[in-house]
């Protein structure tokens, strides 16, 4: 390496390699704590978008009620625009009429964004496996991060799902 | 799915065997009480499949039904008169007149629901208006079912085939959304309805109306 | 003036609640206690025994492989499918047992009602979330495991409002 | 002091200098706030993921629908009269401060015109409030 | 040049001065539905409700399932009012199959239905509060609702989808010391309910937003065929529990709440007052209930109805729910039609919102006690 | 000729510049600073205060408070410190953060729940930091047909104007950034900017919701401005000055609220309306127009606007303190109204009692 650096002909190339390697080391050294800090922020600040797709929204409401109070985890129902949200909880059945809208809501959210499939209908279609107007699960529409089973799931199960999602975020890269 | 249907058939078979065997063991000549005792000893269920005891026809409901039948004669048929429930079938040509009579003379003032029933065997679709009354105290318990039958086509083309009937929106304002639903679910076009659009189904629905009997859902 | 009084009364009502106990159940640390051990059914009387409808527990020694639970689920969610098991149990001549997909199950309990051999019950376990769909499918071996349950908190009502202790 | 009063340019210079010295910190804080927070936007642009491949993302937010029509249209807002009132009375009411801050030094007769002025303002206000009560014309 | 478009399709014409707003499906002020609202400035010119985002075809699927398998399905439209939406189904099937219900089961059903009515109304009230910008009014009812959910959970085992009422009675008996617990919680709950009065109903700001908006006159309420609290807020004394008492409601002591104003405020207040009546009913039913006895008449495995039809209705939190069941000598019903209060009240929406200000939209919309999942079925 | 031109993009160039600056600063602080200190040990230094400032002494200045204090003191009286830290930007930002957190916990208590709990181990004390980190690492979406320069400028201008607002407020005797003789008029002048920013960004975003929200914001702020101005006239007459510091000093013995209760109430109501707090939250009424003029803002842009908003809230509270009409009384009322009404994420009317703000 040193020889190459000294050599007039190979020097420019070797310098580039050296600088590149130094940069890699720096990025690794800086990147890891940086990732951790950002992921820590993301973990405790999940704002779900207000999109009620079906009846599971009742239990989502119960989860933000005083008894289960998901604000403890930093999850506030950001009662506003989807541009400020980072979590989409698919609360139940997705019908054929809703599916394009769901996808559009997902598309318009800023990255990074996470999806929780809540309830049997969102996971596999559940009770409506043979209905003419219901999608068999939302896997074909959105990439799902966590599945929360139940019909509807208890708020505890939803909170457990959110904790799983936090684990998942912890292990992902920041960018 | 295939295994599921197999299982279904299996269980149905066993159930039928069960019932037939119990019928076989039952002696033919038995009074009602004896049969009851027999069933109780066997630990079997007592409830009959079909209610058998005839109920008396109540007077008030009978008078209402008579009013309608005396006015319209053989244009309508009174299907049944039970406690709190009357059902009348009218032809679709005079359903508006019947409805107006019911509203003005019998004081039924709103429609609770508009349902369609598909009868592919007789190639007809039945449209039933369940009418109720808020203004008349005596009619608080009553539901008046006004039915009509429209022809049904095997290859439906909703809106432009013969499956159509006059709308009752001018008579009972409250049927507006119910008739829209009936239109998209059965393909019955209501003539004179101001806003005959699709209501519940997706905008790109291109299949036959889903509540018809020949529309099969998955795996059935 | 009545408006002013109304606003003051509303403010007063809000302030009073600073003295009311918090209602929150701190879920991961505390868990609610339920009535009974889980939903059970007595086929003789035709009446169930109240209890939470969580995930199922399957008693292998009682299961005969009769498929009644699967048939009961047939028109509801089709969550139960019968799978081959390697063990040959005394009662179970067909060597099939129910396998439940919790991605489909709706926890209605009609399969428990359908089981005439006291083999299928529902437990107090509800923590079933997972990262993948396939992890939601519980095999007969998984269903036989008794869940660890530590549910001890109950709602308490006193003068300072309802709370969870 | 008197020296400046006799030369108009000197007065102007004094006024400008005083204004500059007393108002410049406002401008300074204004710029500092921008300078201090602006980098967060740039930083955010650097560290946040950016996926621009999907054009749907950049459509205006319209409740999950494909937007119909433009966001910037001719739009009738029934509260336009408020703006007109603001334009007229805001400037006028600022002048009250000039009077208000020196009322104790003024002769008493100076109060009369200002009372007339106040009467006009309050009459207009009362009329506006009366109109506000009539919801149907909003 | 203009070709005839098939019905169900139409072309939007865009007016420059009139702005079209899609309120829903992703909108903080909409539920699972869309309102196409055209506004001229701050005034609503027209409103076209577009439901169907949760249309799951319950009625069609009911034709492929037998009478017992339909139970979990038919409670899904209103899961937080599941006892009430199953109630007319059970009554109808019992009439079709000729089943008698034990006396104790009838009382238990009434208790479950009334508890569920309170749960529904509290949830609705929470939503109503948050949509008027009052977050405390979301939290308090949503928290107090859990008291009743605990009771129903003890009865049936599930938080919201109980599947508790079945044709022939109820699925399981009450747990031990239920009555004592129920009485204690209901009394505490009545105390809590009075707190809402000061912070919400007598609050001048709420009154200013709701009073006088969306007025529905008595004749219009009857003509539009509304039901439930919308109807009673317009001065029509109609409650199915009183007019056509089912099970044991005629033995119980309660009264119908009627208001004459017909505005959003009256519509929001009637369900609140009805909760007091529900508490009365529960306490009365607990007193009059037989202390022991059977709670379920056993059915055959695959019961078949005759060649018959039946229409039964009950009063739920959103109005009358009617089931029209046609049977066909088969284990499955031939046709099930659910006539629900939400769908019947939907017609009020374009009627009431026309000419209102945009700011009154949430008050009018949620005052109609509309639950989109139920309306779509 | 045309080989270079299409590939060159100004945005990419500027991006690379910033990238470079970032790395330079990072490497300098990690590598350069130690080197500087090492070098300092071997270089002769001049005499200061009659003492030879050896590198050793220079180092001890950092540790020895008696040596540090004079330097800090002299620094504290520079304008730059005032702008950056104490009465200026940093102080207001910290106060805003504290306000948000205290409000959230307070409101949660009133609603019988806990509020933020797990972020930062102790009662969720780091919740806002978490929110900030998250917002900073969120993507910023600029709508396709938006007027990009104005859309970018909106949040910056908002924060900047809020900062300009901060400059006018006397926090303690002698502690004020800008002390013009017509300070009260300057306050009105700054307030007049907010509706303009709202309308500009609303128009720039090209969305229906922002458009309606911006117009509503404009009309509401404008409509309440004249009552706001008139409500403060009484104070000016009584104290005979437009300078905020002098107004405060004139109330040493008793507060003008004793003479001007109606003005006080009018001021309270109008300031609520100016801040778009509940119940005057028409511009952000989320159940009608999604989030008003904030609808299209995402990521850090939204964060900046929230920061600005809360800064203004704090400032208005200090105004209430500096024109001490009601002091504790008003703060108590505001704290109650916090729990009583709430809109958006944590947009509560005003906030809880922080008596130390008003004690001077």
């Amino acid at each position: 390496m040193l020889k190459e650096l000294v050599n007039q002909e190979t020097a420019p190339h070797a310098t580039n390699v050296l600088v590149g390697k130094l940069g890699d080391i720096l990025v690794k050294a800086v990147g890891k704590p940086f990732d951790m800090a950002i992921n820590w922020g993301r973990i405790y600040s999940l704002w779900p978008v207000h999109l009620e797709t079906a009846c599971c929204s009742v239990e989502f409401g119960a989860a933000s009620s005083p008894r289960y109070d998901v604000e403890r985890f930093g999850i506030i129902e950001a009662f506003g625009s989807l541009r400020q949200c980072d979590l989409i909880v698919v609360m139940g059945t997705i019908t054929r009429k809703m599916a394009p809208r769901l996808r559009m809501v997902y598309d318009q959210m800023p990255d990074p964004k996470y999806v929780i499939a809540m309830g049997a209908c969102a996971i596999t279609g559940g009770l409506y496996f043979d209905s003419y107007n219901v999608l068999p699960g939302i896997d074909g529409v959105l990439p799902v991060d966590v599945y929360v089973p139940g019909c509807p799931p208890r708020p505890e199960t939803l909170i457990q799902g959110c904790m799983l999602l936090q684990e998942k975020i912890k292990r992902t890269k920041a960018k | 799915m295939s295994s599921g249907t197999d299982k279904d058939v299996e269980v149905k078979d066993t159930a039928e065997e069960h019932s037939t065997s119990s019928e076989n063991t039952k002696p033919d000549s038995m009074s009602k009480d004896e049969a009851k005792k027999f069933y109780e000893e066997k630990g079997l269920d007592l409830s009959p499949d079909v209610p058998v005891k005839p109920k008396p026809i109540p007077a008030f409901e009978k008078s209402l039904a008579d009013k309608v039948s005396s006015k319209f004669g053989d244009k309508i048929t009174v299907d049944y008169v039970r406690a709190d429930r009357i059902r009348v079938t009218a032809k679709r040509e005079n359903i508006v007149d019947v409805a107006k009579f019911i509203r003005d003379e019998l004081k039924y003032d709103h429609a609770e629901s508009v349902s369609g029933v598909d009868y592919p065997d007789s190639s007809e679709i039945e449209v039933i208006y369940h009418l109720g009354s808020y203004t008349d105290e005596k009619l608080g318990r009553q539901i008046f079912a006004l039915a009509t039958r429209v022809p049904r086509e095997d290859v439906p083309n909703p809106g432009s085939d013969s499956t159509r009937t006059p709308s009752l929106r001018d008579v009972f304002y409250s049927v507006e959304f119910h008739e829209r639903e009936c239109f998209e679910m059965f393909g019955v076009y209501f003539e004179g309805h101001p806003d005959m659009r699709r209501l519940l189904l997706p905008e790109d629905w291109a299949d036959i109306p889903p509540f018809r009997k020949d529309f099969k859902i998955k795996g059935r | 003036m009545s408006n002013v009084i109304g606003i003051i009364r509303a403010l007063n009502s809000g302030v009073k609640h600073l003295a009311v106990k918090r209602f929150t159940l701190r879920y991961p640390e505390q868990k609610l206690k339920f009535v009974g051990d889980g939903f059970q059914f007595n086929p003789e009387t035709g009446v169930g025994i109240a209890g939470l409808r969580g995930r199922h527990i399957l008693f292998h020694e009682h299961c005969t492989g009769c498929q009644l639970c699967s048939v009961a689920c047939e028109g509801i969610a089709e969550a139960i499918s019968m799978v081959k098991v390697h063990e040959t149990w005394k009662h179970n001549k067909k060597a099939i047992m129910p396998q439940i997909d919790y991605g489909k199950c709706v926890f209605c309990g009609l399969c428990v009602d359908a089981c005439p051999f006291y083999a299928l019950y529902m437990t107090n376990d509800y923590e079933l979330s997972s990262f993948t769909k396939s992890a939601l499918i519980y095999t007969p071996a998984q269903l036989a495991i008794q869940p660890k349950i530590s549910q001890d908190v109950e709602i308490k009502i006193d003068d300072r409002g309802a709370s969870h202790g | 002091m008197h020296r400046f009063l006799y030369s108009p340019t000197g007065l102007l210079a004094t006024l400008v200098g005083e204004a500059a010295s007393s108002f410049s910190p406002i401008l300074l804080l204004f710029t500092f706030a921008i300078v201090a927070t602006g980098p967060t936007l740039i930083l955010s642009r650097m560290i946040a993921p950016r996926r621009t491949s999907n054009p749907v993302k950049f459509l205006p937010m319209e409740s999950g629908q494909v937007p119909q029509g433009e966001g910037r249209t001719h739009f009738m807002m029934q509260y336009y009269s408020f703006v007109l009132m603001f334009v007229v009375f805001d400037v006028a009411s600022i002048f009250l401060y000039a009077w208000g801050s020196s009322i104790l030094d003024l002769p008493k007769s100076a109060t009369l015109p200002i009372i007339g002025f106040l009467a006009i303002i309050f009459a207009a206000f009362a009329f506006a409030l009366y109109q506000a009560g009539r919801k149907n014309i909003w | 040049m203009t070709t005839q478009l098939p019905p169900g399709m139409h072309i939007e014409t865009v007016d420059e001065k009139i702005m079209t707003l899609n309120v829903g499906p992703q909108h903080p002020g909409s539920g699972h539905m869309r309102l196409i609202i055209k506004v001229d400035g701050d005034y609503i010119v027209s409103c076209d409700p577009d439901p169907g985002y949760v249309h799951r075809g319950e009625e069609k699927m009911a034709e492929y399932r037998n009478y017992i398998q339909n139970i979990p399905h038919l409670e899904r439209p209103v899961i937080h009012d599941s006892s009430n939406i199953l109630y007319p189904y059970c009554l109808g099937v019992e009439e079709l199959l000729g089943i008698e219900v034990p006396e104790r089961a009838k009382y238990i059903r009434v208790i479950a239905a009334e508890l569920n009515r309170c749960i529904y109304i509290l949830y609705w009230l929470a939503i109503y509060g948050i949509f008027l910008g009052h977050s405390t009014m979301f939290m308090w009812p949503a928290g107090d609702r859990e008291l009743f959910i605990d009771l129903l959970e003890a009865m049936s085992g599930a938080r919201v989808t109980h599947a508790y009422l079945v044709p022939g009675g109820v699925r399981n008996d009450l747990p031990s010391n239920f009555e004592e617990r129920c009485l204690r919680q209901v009394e505490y709950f009545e105390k809590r309910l009075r707190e809402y009065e000061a912070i919400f109903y007598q609050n001048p700001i709420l009154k200013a937003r709701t009073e006088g908006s969306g007025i529905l006159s008595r004749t219009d309420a009857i003509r539009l065929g509304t039901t439930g609290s919308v109807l009673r807020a317009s001065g029509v004394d109609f409650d199915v529990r009183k007019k056509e008492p089912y099970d044991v409601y005629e033995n119980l002591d309660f009264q119908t709440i009627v208001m004459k104003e017909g505005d959003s405020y009256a519509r929001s207040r009637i369900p609140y007052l009805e909760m007091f009546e529900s508490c009365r009913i529960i306490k009365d039913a607990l007193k009059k209930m037989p202390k022991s006895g059977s709670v379920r008449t056993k059915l055959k495995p695959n019961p078949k109805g005759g060649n018959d039809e039946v229409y039964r209705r009950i009063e739920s939190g959103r109005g009358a729910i009617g089931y029209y069941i046609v049977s066909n000598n088969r284990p499955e019903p031939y046709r099930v039609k659910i006539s629900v209060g939400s769908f019947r009240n939907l017609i009020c929406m374009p009627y009431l919102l026309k000419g209102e200000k945009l700011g009154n939209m949430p008050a009018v919309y949620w005052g109609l006690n509309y639950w989109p999942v139920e309306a779509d079925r | 000729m045309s080989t270079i031109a299409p590939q060159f993009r100004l945005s990419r160039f500027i991006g690379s510049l910033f990238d470079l600056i970032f790395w330079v600063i990072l490497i300098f602080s990690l590598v350069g600073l130690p080197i500087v200190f090492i070098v300092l040990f071997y270089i002769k230094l001049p005499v200061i205060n009659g003492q030879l400032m050896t590198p050793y002494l220079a180092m001890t200045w950092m540790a020895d408070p008696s040596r540090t204090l004079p330097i800090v003191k002299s620094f504290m009286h520079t304008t730059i410190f005032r702008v950056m830290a104490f009465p200026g930007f940093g102080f207001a930002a910290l106060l805003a953060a504290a306000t948000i957190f205290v409000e959230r916990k307070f409101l949660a208590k009133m609603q019988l729940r806990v509020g933020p709990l797990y972020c930062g181990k102790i009662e969720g004390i780091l919740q806002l930091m978490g929110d900030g980190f998250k917002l900073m690492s969120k993507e910023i979406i600029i709508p396709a047909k938006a007027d990009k320069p104005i859309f970018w400028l909106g949040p910056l201008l908002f924060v900047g104007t809020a900062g300009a607002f901060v400059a006018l407020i006397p926090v303690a005797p002698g502690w004020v950034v800008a002390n013009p003789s017509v300070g009260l008029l300057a306050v009105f002048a700054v307030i007049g900017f907010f509706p303009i920013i709202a309308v500009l960004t609303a128009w720039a975003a090209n969305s229906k919701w922002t458009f309606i929200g911006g117009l509503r914001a404009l009309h509401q702020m404008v409509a309440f401005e004249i009552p706001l101005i008139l409500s403060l006239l009484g104070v000016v007459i009584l104290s005979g000055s437009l300078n905020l510091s002098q107004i405060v000093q004139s109330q040493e013995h008793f507060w003008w609220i004793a003479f001007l209760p109606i003005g006080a109430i009018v001021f309270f109501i109008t300031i609520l309306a100016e801040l778009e707090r509940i119940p005057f939250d028409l511009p952000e009424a989320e159940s009608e127009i999604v989030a008003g003029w904030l609808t299209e803002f995402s990521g850090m842009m939204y964060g900046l606007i929230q920061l600005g908003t809360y800064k203004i809230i704090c400032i208005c509270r200090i105004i209430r303190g500096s024109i001490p009409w009601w002091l504790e009384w008003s703060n108590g009322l505001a704290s109650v109204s916090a729990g009583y009404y709430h809109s958006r994420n944590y947009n509560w009317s005003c906030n809880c009692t922080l008596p130390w703000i008003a004690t001077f």
Side-chain angles (χ1 to χ4, degrees), chain B residues 80-123:
Chain B
Y80 59 71
V81 178
R82 294 177 193 160
D84 307 337
R85 303 283 185 269
I86 307 164
R87 185 186 146 127
V88 165
T89 306
K91 291 209 174 60
R92 61 169 165 164
E93 296 87 42
N94 34 23
I95 184 158
V96 175
D97 297 335
V98 178
K100 272 185 183 150
F101 177 77
I102 290 167
R103 185 189 65 181
D104 297 336
E105 305 294 323
L106 303 188
K107 303 286 184 247
Y108 285 94
D109 52 18
H110 70 280
E112 287 214 344
S113 79
V114 179
S115 4
V117 187
D118 187 17
Y119 292 106
D121 298 339
S122 53
S123 188

Side-chain angles (χ1 to χ4, degrees), chain F residues 1-332:
Chain F
M1 277 199 285
S2 62
T3 49
I4 300 170
Q7 287 181 349
F8 178 76
R9 278 176 61 188
L10 186 67
S11 59
R12 204 171 283 171
F13 173 65
I14 294 171
S16 66
L17 271 189
F18 282 122
D19 222 337
L20 200 67
I21 292 169
F22 177 73
W23 286 117
V24 164
I25 290 173
L26 202 78
I27 293 170
F28 176 71
S29 56
L30 285 179
V31 184
L33 277 182
I35 292 174
V36 166
F37 277 103
I38 292 164
V39 168
L40 269 177
F41 273 93
Y42 299 99
I43 292 174
K44 278 195 175 178
L45 285 164
V47 179
I48 295 176
N49 293 346
Q51 255 188 331
L52 183 71
M53 192 166 117
T54 56
Y56 175 72
L57 265 180
M59 297 295 274
T60 51
W61 268 15
M62 290 186 162
D64 186 2
S66 65
R67 286 165 196 274
T68 321
L69 273 178
I71 294 176
V72 173
K73 257 187 185 170
S74 64
F75 179 61
M76 271 171 73
H77 288 284
T78 55
T79 316
I80 197 76
F81 177 78
R82 290 181 177 216
V83 166
M84 278 164 61
F86 176 47
F89 187 80
F91 175 67
L94 269 181
L95 213 58
T99 310
I100 298 174
F101 181 70
V102 171
E103 277 182 14
R104 274 175 85 163
K105 290 298 272 190
F106 207 83
L107 191 74
K109 175 71 184 123
M110 209 169 261
Q111 293 171 347
L112 311 180
R113 55 198 180 87
V114 178
L117 184 66
Y118 293 111
C119 187
K121 310 288 182 205
I122 311 156
E123 290 291 316
I125 202 154
L126 296 181
Q127 179 65 49
L128 285 166
M129 219 166 123
D131 283 347
F133 269 123
K134 189 215 55 178
L135 283 175
M136 206 182 282
S137 64
K138 278 301 262 190
E139 186 185 13
I140 293 175
I141 295 177
I142 314 290
K145 287 186 190 167
D147 197 336
K148 276 172 193 149
I150 296 180
F151 195 76
W152 274 103
L153 264 182
L156 290 176
L157 279 181
F158 197 85
V159 176
T161 319
F165 208 170
V166 173
L168 291 161
I169 306 305
V171 175
W175 283 104
V176 57
V177 179
N179 197 14
S181 55
V182 287
L184 207 53
L185 295 187
V187 167
F188 298 138
V190 174
I191 286 180
F193 272 100
F194 291 112
I196 297 171
I197 296 169
V199 166
L200 269 183
T201 50
W203 178 265
N206 188 25
S207 168
K208 291 170 190 171
W209 310 112
T210 60
F211 187 48
I212 299 177
L215 281 181
R216 279 186 176 187
L218 170 75
H219 286 102
Q220 178 173 308
M221 288 181 186
V222 150
F224 279 89
E225 197 150 323
I226 303 171
L228 176 68
I229 291 171
L230 289 182
S231 72
L232 287 172
L233 185 62
V235 184
V236 174
I237 291 176
L238 284 180
S239 61
S241 170
L242 285 169
N243 186 319
L244 281 173
S245 305
Q246 283 178 22
I247 291 176
V248 173
Q249 276 168 11
S250 70
Q251 316 182 60
E252 262 180 312
H253 302 296
F254 38 73
W255 305 323
W256 298 137
I257 189 175
F259 307 108
L260 303 161
I262 295 173
I265 293 165
V266 172
F267 178 79
F268 182 68
I269 293 170
T270 49
I271 208 77
L272 283 183
E274 284 287 317
L275 295 171
E276 301 172 13
R277 292 302 91 165
I278 285 275
F280 299 96
D281 67 333
L282 272 179
E284 291 176 4
E286 72 279 338
S287 49
E288 305 145 32
I289 45 171
V290 179
W293 59 280
L294 304 175
T295 304
E296 291 289 348
F297 286 119
S298 57
M300 202 57 211
M301 284 181 153
Y302 179 71
L304 284 188
I305 287 191
Q306 285 289 323
L307 179 71
T309 317
Y310 273 89
K311 238 188 227 174
I312 307 171
I313 292 173
C314 296
I315 295 154
C316 286
R317 201 176 48 203
I318 300 174
I319 289 188
R320 286 211 302 275
S322 71
I323 307 174
W325 274 345
W326 34 57
L327 286 175
E328 284 81 11
W329 181 77
S330 81
N331 280 329

Side-chain angles (χ1 to χ4, degrees), chain E residues 167-294:
Chain E
V170 293
R171 263 174 80 185
N172 45 33
D173 209 344
L174 296 178
S176 57
N177 84 0
F178 175 80
E179 291 164 32
E180 176 203 337
R181 191 180 162 189
C182 185
L183 268 180
R184 198 178 71 224
Q185 298 206 2
V186 165
E187 270 160 19
Y188 173 71
F189 175 70
E190 278 182 320
K191 209 174 77 188
R192 289 282 312 155
L193 263 189
R194 294 200 182 89
E195 299 280 335
Y196 300 173
E197 188 76 26
I199 205 162
F200 195 65
Y201 284 108
Q202 300 305 330
N203 190 331
I205 294 162
L206 178 102
K207 276 188 162 179
R209 280 191 75 167
T210 53
E211 269 181 348
S213 70
I215 294 176
L216 186 67
S217 67
R218 189 176 190 275
T219 38
D220 278 339
I222 293 170
R223 193 166 67 95
L224 296 175
T226 57
T227 176
S229 57
V230 181
L231 183 69
R232 290 195 284 277
S234 295
V236 184
D237 184 2
F238 188 89
D239 188 328
V240 182
R241 287 177 292 175
K242 279 281 183 202
K243 295 281 173 183
E244 190 187 344
Y246 45 95
D247 276 2
V248 288
Y249 271 108
E250 46 203 340
N251 307 341
L252 299 172
D253 169 38
F254 71 103
Q255 64 190 33
T256 321
I257 314 281
V258 181
M259 287 174 92
K260 287 206 166 53
E261 290 84 356
D263 56 358
S264 296
Y265 183 68
R267 284 199 285 273
S268 72
R269 195 156 165 76
I270 279 194
Y272 168 70
L273 295 175
E274 274 177 1
M275 279 194 281
F276 288 105
E277 296 302 315
S278 289
C279 290
R280 263 173 76 191
I281 294 175
I282 292 167
K283 283 193 267 188
D284 202 21
L286 280 175
K287 213 183 292 166
K288 290 177 180 165
M289 182 172 68
K291 293 305 169 213
S292 61
S294 159

Side-chain angles (χ1 to χ4, degrees), chain C residues 2-7 9-11 13-14 16-17 20 23 32 34-35 39-41 43-54 71-77 106-110 113 154-155 157-162 164, chain E residues 64-65 68-73 75-76 140 142-144 146-147 150 153-159 161-164 166 170-175 181 184-185 188 191-192 195-200 202-205 294-296 298:
Chain C
S2 66
N3 283 1
V4 175
I5 292 171
I7 285 179
R9 282 184 58 204
L11 294 178
S13 172
K16 263 195 315 196
H17 279 73
V20 175
F23 189 51
L32 262 191
F34 301 107
V35 174
F39 180 69
Q40 298 167 24
F41 190 74
E44 281 175 4
T45 57
V47 177
I49 297 152
L52 184 84
R53 298 206 209 118
V71 171
C73 204
E74 193 65 27
I76 295 167
V106 296
F107 300 92
C108 62
L110 289 183
D113 291 13
E154 232 177 355
I155 193 164
I157 296 173
D158 57 16
D159 297 339
R160 284 183 59 210
H164 291 90
Chain E
Y64 291 89
R65 283 153 174 80
I68 298 297
Q69 282 172 338
N70 266 329
I71 288 171
H73 267 274
E75 69 177 357
R76 283 316 188 268
W140 289 1
D144 295 336
E146 302 284 338
L147 295 170
D150 267 6
E153 198 174 10
M155 283 165 86
S156 69
R159 259 178 72 87
T161 47
H162 311 109
Y164 189 54
V166 287
V170 293
R171 263 174 80 185
N172 45 33
D173 209 344
L174 296 178
R181 191 180 162 189
R184 198 178 71 224
Q185 298 206 2
Y188 173 71
K191 209 174 77 188
R192 289 282 312 155
E195 299 280 335
Y196 300 173
E197 188 76 26
I199 205 162
F200 195 65
Q202 300 305 330
N203 190 331
I205 294 162
S294 159
V295 294
R296 186 177 183 181
K298 235 182 142 185

